[in-house]
């Protein structure tokens, strides 16, 4: 670390940190000075907050809507989505003729929320639609010919796929061949040629001009509900019943957006923020029951509620339990059923955490014994027999955070030798494209995804071939990603100045996520006092400045990493970066510092 050195992108390294203990460069988040002044004057903001807004690319004419977003100002015309009008017409026609409608959903939170949105709209117009969620282990992801045969044999007259289907060209061709009408509502990357269907609504299809590619599937479905209301009015569907007020279901759209880690900008950010306000009423029986099962008291809903309390429990059904539990929970109006489903999901989540812990620990030992995490290779691929396919994605994410390079974790069936894997990537490295290319080259049985995540199926015998292919494919991207592996910082603060007022001022920027990152603060010259390692490899301590000002702090899963060892040593003079969190334990209304990274100025 050299004081005053140039960081990534030619900007000075913040606090001179060119290489932290996690290997990253620190730099101040860039902001246009004239835009900062504009936000200060037009909105009456202090400089740090105005600077944070400018650094998040909030334009001069966007500040008011950013701070107080409304659907009226930001809701897109549904017709700007390719095939949206065709989808709405097909669905309303099916409702009017009392057709048997089936919602085919993915097994994750976004799929469950998307399905529940449609089920609730159908119920509001007097139609009971059915839910079909494929089993992760026996059916895999998305539509299949077998699933469509099952639905056809069961009397389905219209199938609506949500959060899946846009790339299932072969399965959709089979549905067309057996005369099963399908509407696809998705957000995943797809081939240039859309599948055969009545409509394919996807803001990420090449010919869609909506500009709403950041939406999760639940967000796309929410726009579809607006289109359905409009088409319903045109066809007289509400002559004898009230038009559904879709705003009461925004909590489900927010849940999908947060748990699918979508880009929170523009309309998607507004929908998520307003959806959290709806969620705060906890009027959805399933969400309320799940909160209770988790032992959490109802309060103002935050991103953390969706991402760390509700989401993992909903996902547990698809990962290691029954795949339809989440969709059923979010769509039920029966409090008794909601309580039963929530209890089942909470129990499954406990099991999931234990399975995840075992796989994570084994994978870490296996990789670090070989040094594959620390060499110049662009990706880590680790496989093990009987690793549950439902947790490999979570484990890949944990290891990606630990080693700061893309990681693919594969669970192999010891009988068939077939492995199912999931990968998580680093910014600047398109893992999904590389996995797709490996499938096209015949290395994989199936594979694809997007830039930051990918899934695959392969035979154990091709494992070395996959490693070699990915190393060659991603080598150049790794060089660029390393140069840009930085931690952007919003402001330097003192431990004594980390007040609740400062926290609440920056909370005006919420909800946080990709595209609208949570504010990151730096502390300089602090000592970790009274450090204590707790279960899970976490560390609690007090960060104390030379003037005696202190701040309660926590660092997650780092006790065996360089930054964790520095904290546990109790040494002084550290630079620390992290985020302010509310600390309301026993009504104290304080703040806590969640440590992201540590630098030791003595290490050059």
């Amino acid at each position: 670390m050299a004081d005053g050195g140039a960081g990534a992108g030619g900007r000075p390294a913040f606090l001179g940190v060119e290489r932290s203990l996690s290997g990253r460069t620190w730099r101040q988040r860039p902001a246009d000075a004239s835009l900062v002044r504009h936000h200060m004057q037009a909105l009456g903001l202090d400089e740090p907050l105005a600077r944070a807004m400018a650094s998040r690319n909030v334009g001069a004419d966007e500040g008011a809507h950013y701070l107080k977003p409304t659907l009226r100002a930001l809701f897109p015309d549904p017709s700007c989505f390719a095939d949206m009008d065709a989808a709405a017409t097909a669905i309303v026609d099916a409702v009017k003729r009392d057709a048997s409608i089936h919602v085919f959903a993915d097994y994750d939170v976004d799929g469950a929320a998307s399905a529940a949105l449609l089920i609730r709209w159908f119920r509001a117009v007097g139609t009971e639609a059915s839910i079909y969620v494929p089993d992760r282990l026996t059916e895999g992801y998305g539509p299949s010919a077998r699933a469509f045969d099952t639905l056809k044999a069961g009397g389905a007259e219209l199938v609506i796929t949500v959060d899946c289907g846009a790339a299932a060209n072969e399965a959709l061709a089979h549905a067309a061949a057996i005369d099963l009408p399908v509407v696809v509502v998705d957000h995943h990357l797809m081939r240039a040629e859309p599948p055969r269907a009545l409509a394919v609504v996807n803001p990420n299809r090449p010919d869609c001009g909506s500009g709403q590619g950041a939406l999760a599937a639940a967000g796309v479905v929410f726009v579809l509900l607006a289109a359905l209301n409009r088409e319903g009015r045109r066809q007289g569907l509400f002559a004898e019943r009230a038009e559904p007020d879709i705003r009461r279901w925004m909590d489900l759209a927010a849940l999908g957006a947060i748990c699918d880690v979508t880009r929170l900008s523009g309309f998607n950010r507004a929908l998520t923020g307003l959806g959290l306000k709806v969620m705060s009423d906890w009027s959805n029986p399933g969400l309320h029951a799940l909160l209770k099962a988790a032992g959490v008291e109802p309060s103002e809903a935050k991103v953390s509620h969706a991402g760390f309390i509700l989401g993992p429990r909903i996902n547990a059904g698809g990962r290691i339990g029954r795949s339809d539990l989440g969709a059923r929970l979010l769509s039920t109006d029966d409090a008794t059923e909601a309580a039963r489903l929530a209890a089942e999901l909470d129990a499954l989540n406990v099991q999931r955490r234990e399975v995840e812990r075992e796989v994570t620990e084994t994978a870490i030992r296996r990789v670090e014994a070989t040094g594959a995490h620390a060499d110049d290779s662009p990706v880590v691929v680790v496989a093990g027999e009987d690793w549950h396919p439902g947790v490999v994605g979570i484990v890949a994410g944990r290891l990606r955070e630990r080693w700061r390079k893309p990681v693919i974790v594969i669970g192999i069936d010891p009988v068939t030798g077939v492995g199912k894997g999931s990968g998580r990537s680093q910014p600047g490295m398109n893992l999904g494209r590389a996995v797709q290319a490996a499938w096209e080259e015949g290395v994989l049985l199936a594979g694809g995804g997007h830039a930051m995540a990918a899934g695959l199926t392969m035979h154990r015998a091709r494992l070395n071939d996959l490693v070699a292919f990915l190393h060659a494919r991603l080598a150049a991207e790794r060089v660029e990603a390393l140069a840009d592996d930085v931690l952007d910082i919003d402001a330097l603060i003192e431990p004594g100045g980390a007040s609740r007022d400062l926290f609440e001022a920056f909370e005006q920027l919420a909800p946080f996520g990709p595209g609208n990152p949570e504010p990151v603060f730096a502390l300089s010259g602090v000592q970790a006092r009274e450090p204590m390692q707790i279960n899970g490899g976490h560390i609690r301590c007090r960060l104390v400045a030379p003037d005696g000002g202190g701040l309660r702090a926590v660092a997650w899963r780092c006790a065996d990493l360089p930054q964790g060892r520095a904290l546990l040593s109790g040494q002084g003079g550290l630079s620390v970066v992290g985020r302010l969190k509310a600390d309301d334990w026993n009504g104290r209304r304080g703040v806590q510092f969640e440590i992201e990274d540590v630098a030791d100025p003595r290490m050059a």
Side-chain angles (χ1 to χ4, degrees), residues 337-407:
E337 181 186 25
R340 179 177 57 79
L341 291 171
E344 186 172 356
L345 285 167
D346 186 62
L348 286 170
N349 190 54
V350 172
Q351 297 177 35
R352 187 272 307 167
R353 284 201 300 262
E354 180 60 23
V355 172
E356 174 197 331
R357 182 190 63 78
E358 293 175 356
V359 174
T360 299
E361 292 178 355
T362 303
I364 289 174
R365 287 197 303 269
R366 188 164 298 175
V367 172
E368 295 190 347
T370 66
H373 66 298
D375 60 21
D376 292 330
S377 61
V379 61
V380 171
V381 179
V382 57
E385 288 191 351
D386 285 330
W387 287 356
H388 200 295
V391 304
V392 292
I394 303 175
V395 174
R398 295 270 190 252
L399 302 187
R400 198 282 312 170
E401 293 174 3
R402 182 181 181 90
W403 297 323
R404 312 227 34 95
K405 64 169 66 177
V407 176

Side-chain angles (χ1 to χ4, degrees), residues 487-560:
L487 185 53
D488 284 321
I489 298 164
D490 287 284
L492 178 67
I493 61 175
E494 295 291 335
S499 65
R500 185 67 176 226
D501 287 344
L502 178 67
F503 166 77
E504 291 181 348
F506 276 85
E507 275 290 284
Q508 295 179 74
L509 309 184
F512 302 118
N516 189 51
E518 188 173 359
V520 174
F521 301 99
L523 305 172
S524 179
V526 298
Q527 179 184 16
R529 299 263 184 93
E530 302 164 9
M532 177 176 63
Q533 181 176 341
I534 56 179
N535 289 340
H538 314 312
I539 298 172
R540 291 197 180 278
C541 63
R542 281 184 58 80
L543 298 175
V544 180
D547 65 3
L551 178 62
R552 290 163 55 90
V554 62
W556 306 116
R557 294 183 297 275
C558 70
D560 63 339

